[in-house]
Amino acid sequence: MTDHGTRDPSLAPAVEGLHWARGGLDSLPLSSVLSIVELTFKAGIDIRDDSKPAGKLWKATLEYMLTLPGLESLFWGLSVESSGSVYLLPQWDSPVGWQTFQKSFGIGLVVGLLASPPFNRALRLRVDLYSAKTSYLDAFSFPFHARISTQEKKTIEDAVSKSLSLVVETSSAEAWLQWLELDVPANPRSEIAPGKAAEQSHVLVVLLARRSLQDRSLEVDILPLDVLAGTATKVTLGLIQERPRLSSKPTFQPLAGQSTEALFKLLPHRQYSQDSDLFRQKDVIASGSNSKYQQSLRAFPAPYGSYEPMGHLNQYSTLNEGEPHDSSNRKRLLMVVEVCWLQFKPGCININSSNQDGSAMKEFLDLGAEIARHSECEGVSWGSEEGSPDTLVMFISWKTFKTGMNTFNTFSNTVTTERFTSRFPNLATPPQVQRFPSSFVPDGSSLMELTSFYVPSEHLTKMLFEEAYAKFQSTRTFPATFSGDRFASSSLHWEFGGWEIDGPFFARDSGEALRFTGAVIWNKKVSTASRWWAEADKAEKTCTSQEARAQWYQDFADGMESYERLGKYVDALQALIASSESVKSRFVVDVQRITKK
């Protein structure tokens, strides 16, 4: 079916000539609309196994779709001929229901699993698959030239109906036929699109429901080749019915902590929320928060969220085939950062004793200064873990990835040898060392959050996680439209963090899970004076990093009630990690540079 019709980005899905995103659909007669959404998944993906990341994303997609207003039934099926092709067949009670689907988040969770853009078309047809009690559905498509007349269509319909009646009379099958809805210009002001729309093939779709593969079907060559404008096709689907699940207002979920880890303990509510402003790619809640932020009424802007509506995901769209937001991409690497966690016995650390000979604090800083003198070391910083004053953290930045790999053993061996242990006899536990990519030296931050995720080691899952994590991090920056300003709720350094480096190369696809660590640096001082209105209002509002963090995470937790706005970000990541219990956040306070000696 995907081979038929003009494939041109100047066109967009429509019903009765009305664009999916514009008005007028509510004035059409209240007749049913059947969506036909063909999805071609990448090789090796099995969406039927909901214990795997791909299956979890597909299950979440279906649960979300079941809450869309106007949905009468939802069937989907895998092509018997091609295991990678899946057809989604939602039945809508009216054109408005179909439009709601196009404006919704739709299949957004599984876009990263697709090998090609989805086929997103519609039929003005009601297909009662419930009464058919069918297990298989044959979908035929017959393309005809763009200039076919109404009378010619009627003649063709009569010929096909006659053949269908012979099949239905001799079996338990049920059949339907209808012309595929034509697409319309995506931009009404386009000078080229009207011509493209007029060149579209007219496609007659025939659906034949069968209880078994042994039941009689229709022959694909029932029409003479000379009347077709292309090749007639047939797809046989093994149907699966999705039944609505009980859904209610989400119960209150207290945020047990102020961290990324705490967010992942919450369950996203997969419920459609009627928020047309989100559809327009404008987060009204974050926008209002940003306005109050400028007026000194808030300490921080709220998390920002947006989504790509289903109507943009069609046969004319282009999937993002570029490199994902992968901070472990070697082309972007400037350095490697090693993070060493040193937990001392209670009472052994006094940060004010840095000049006291023999003190653990002085020895710690002296070690950092020794490492900083290494010719390939870009810098060394340190801080202490929030809530654990006996735990010191050292950040060592090597100038290049290659240098970091060659020199890591210098420090790694140092912290594990008896010599190091004798230098720090008051360690409560052996040092813990992590390594990941970075493009800067951690320095001068009052509060740094390091969050680790454990992700299944399959290559595709890793790629999907990187993309989903980048989108989650994007909620921390509100893209304001005022004079190009961007109001950030945190000073986000996406380049700091990535897949844990193991040995001379990055972690390979081995083992059950890989560790990914990302960092967020929270500002200590927040200014509410925007450059463009500085003369009118020079007010500033300050808050501690802890206050800013607490406000932002509570805002995010509250905003998760809207699935399209924020809930989907957490839902996607939860499907891709080993478990929500494996997400761990740790905070380092007062990170500062250690000077060379």
Side-chain angles (χ1 to χ4, degrees):
M1 189 171 292
T2 53
D3 294 334
H4 302 311
T6 305
R7 296 289 176 262
D8 193 284
S10 61
L11 302 180
V15 166
E16 292 287 339
L18 297 176
H19 189 285
W20 64 270
R22 304 189 189 112
L25 285 163
D26 55 349
S27 64
L28 295 176
L30 293 178
S31 58
S32 298
V33 178
L34 178 70
S35 286
I36 299 180
V37 181
E38 181 187 356
L39 307 172
T40 302
F41 287 94
K42 295 176 181 177
I45 290 179
D46 184 3
I47 61 172
R48 294 168 296 182
D49 185 356
D50 58 14
S51 68
K52 300 292 185 180
K56 292 178 181 178
L57 291 171
W58 180 246
K59 180 181 178 182
T61 296
L62 295 175
E63 290 184 358
Y64 169 76
M65 285 191 59
L66 286 169
T67 69
L68 292 174
L71 181 70
E72 291 187 329
S73 66
L74 179 59
F75 284 82
W76 63 280
L78 281 75
S79 169
V80 174
E81 297 86 0
S82 174
S83 59
S85 294
V86 174
Y87 285 76
L88 197 58
L89 303 170
Q91 180 79 61
W92 309 103
D93 61 0
S94 68
V96 173
W98 171 83
Q99 184 181 48
T100 299
F101 170 51
Q102 300 300 327
K103 290 185 175 182
S104 75
F105 184 51
I107 62 163
L109 283 181
V110 298
V111 168
L113 304 175
L114 300 180
S116 61
F119 180 88
N120 181 7
R121 300 290 285 272
L123 297 169
R124 292 298 301 273
L125 180 68
R126 178 180 176 82
V127 177
D128 191 0
L129 294 176
Y130 288 110
S131 62
K133 297 180 180 179
T134 183
S135 297
Y136 296 92
L137 184 71
D138 295 331
F140 301 84
S141 60
F142 301 97
F144 298 91
H145 59 79
R147 292 167 298 282
I148 187 172
S149 66
T150 302
Q151 183 57 46
E152 287 175 318
K153 282 187 174 183
K154 182 66 169 59
T155 301
I156 292 169
E157 291 176 18
D158 292 342
V160 175
S161 296
K162 184 176 180 180
S163 298
L164 281 175
S165 62
L166 294 176
V167 174
V168 173
E169 289 172 1
T170 57
S171 69
S172 59
E174 292 193 33
W176 305 266
L177 75 163
Q178 183 58 279
W179 294 91
L180 200 66
E181 291 294 307
L182 295 176
D183 297 316
V184 298
N187 183 352
R189 293 183 294 273
S190 171
E191 297 181 358
I192 300 176
K196 297 288 186 180
E199 295 172 2
Q200 293 180 89
S201 298
H202 290 248
V203 180
L204 179 65
V205 175
V206 176
L207 302 177
L208 183 68
R210 295 188 288 160
R211 295 188 180 184
S212 72
L213 290 175
Q214 286 68 43
D215 289 343
R216 183 180 175 183
S217 183
L218 191 69
E219 297 300 326
V220 73
D221 57 356
I222 60 172
L223 293 174
L225 293 177
D226 58 350
V227 304
L228 297 175
T231 304
T233 62
K234 172 189 175 184
V235 177
T236 299
L237 307 176
L239 284 183
I240 300 174
Q241 178 187 349
E242 292 295 326
R243 298 183 181 277
R245 297 164 176 81
L246 294 177
S247 181
S248 59
K249 188 75 173 177
T251 57
F252 174 71
Q253 301 180 86
L255 184 65
Q258 301 158 359
S259 64
T260 301
E261 176 183 345
L263 282 183
F264 280 76
K265 298 295 191 292
L266 305 180
L267 298 176
H269 188 59
R270 295 169 186 153
Q271 174 76 42
Y272 169 76
S273 56
Q274 300 186 27
D275 194 336
S276 59
D277 291 305
L278 270 177
F279 158 66
R280 292 199 299 267
Q281 306 297 298
K282 179 182 179 182
D283 188 340
V284 176
I285 297 176
S287 178
S289 164
N290 186 61
S291 177
K292 292 180 179 179
Y293 170 63
Q294 294 170 347
Q295 300 173 36
S296 305
L297 301 179
R298 276 182 61 98
F300 255 39
Y304 170 79
S306 65
Y307 70 93
E308 191 77 6
M310 180 66 201
H312 287 167
L313 303 176
N314 53 59
Q315 56 271 27
Y316 311 116
S317 59
T318 301
L319 296 180
N320 181 16
E321 298 295 340
E323 292 183 347
H325 298 272
D326 179 7
S327 63
S328 63
N329 188 320
R330 298 188 188 190
K331 295 179 181 179
R332 297 174 55 202
L333 280 179
L334 298 178
M335 63 187 73
V336 170
V337 167
E338 296 166 357
V339 184
C340 183
W341 305 80
L342 303 174
Q343 183 179 354
F344 291 84
K345 295 177 181 178
C348 294
I349 291 296
N350 180 359
I351 60 175
N352 296 319
S353 62
S354 58
N355 295 321
Q356 182 178 338
D357 291 338
S359 69
M361 190 67 216
K362 186 175 188 304
E363 289 294 318
F364 174 80
L365 295 177
D366 287 347
L367 173 62
E370 292 173 14
I371 298 172
R373 289 198 298 270
H374 192 289
S375 61
E376 296 299 328
C377 182
E378 185 69 23
V380 180
S381 306
W382 75 279
S384 57
E385 184 172 15
E386 182 184 52
S388 180
D390 298 311
T391 300
L392 299 180
V393 186
M394 185 178 292
F395 299 89
I396 307 171
S397 302
W398 302 107
K399 290 183 178 179
T400 66
F401 173 74
K402 182 178 180 180
T403 300
M405 291 299 91
N406 292 337
T407 58
F408 171 72
N409 288 333
T410 301
F411 182 58
S412 179
N413 291 337
T414 299
V415 299
T416 56
T417 57
E418 292 182 2
R419 176 185 175 189
F420 183 83
T421 304
S422 62
R423 188 168 182 174
F424 294 99
N426 294 321
L427 281 177
T429 61
Q432 300 177 20
V433 181
Q434 294 178 263
R435 292 180 293 167
F436 26 74
S438 177
S439 65
F440 74 103
V441 180
D443 182 23
S445 59
S446 58
L447 184 64
M448 177 185 293
E449 179 182 1
L450 296 170
T451 302
S452 294
F453 303 82
Y454 287 85
V455 182
S457 61
E458 292 82 8
H459 179 70
L460 177 60
T461 302
K462 290 168 58 181
M463 297 280 284
L464 292 173
F465 174 85
E466 290 161 3
E467 184 70 23
Y469 180 76
K471 290 179 179 178
F472 170 71
Q473 292 290 58
S474 72
T475 64
R476 302 181 189 273
T477 301
F478 180 75
T481 58
F482 304 105
S483 302
D485 289 341
R486 290 180 67 86
F487 297 92
S489 58
S490 65
S491 178
L492 175 63
H493 296 286
W494 162 237
E495 291 81 3
F496 177 54
W499 300 106
E500 186 113 0
I501 302 169
D502 184 17
F505 300 103
F506 284 111
R508 301 284 186 174
D509 287 0
S510 59
E512 296 182 357
L514 304 175
R515 182 162 66 174
F516 181 99
T517 301
V520 173
I521 297 176
W522 296 94
N523 295 323
K524 184 174 184 180
K525 184 177 183 179
V526 180
S527 172
T528 61
S530 176
R531 293 191 300 272
W532 65 275
W533 66 358
E535 293 302 319
D537 184 357
K538 296 183 178 181
E540 288 191 349
K541 183 178 180 65
T542 61
C543 64
T544 67
S545 302
Q546 288 79 2
E547 290 173 337
R549 178 187 74 185
Q551 185 182 79
W552 190 88
Y553 277 115
Q554 188 58 59
D555 284 343
F556 197 107
D558 295 341
M560 283 177 62
E561 184 174 334
S562 171
Y563 188 78
E564 293 87 352
R565 180 171 177 254
L566 296 176
K568 66 181 185 298
Y569 295 113
V570 173
D571 203 13
L573 282 171
Q574 285 181 340
L576 296 168
I577 60 179
S579 71
S580 59
E581 298 300 321
S582 67
V583 180
K584 300 297 180 185
S585 295
R586 301 177 77 173
F587 291 86
V588 183
V589 297
D590 297 325
V591 179
Q592 51 195 293
R593 185 75 68 98
I594 297 178
T595 58
K596 300 178 182 180
K597 292 183 179 180

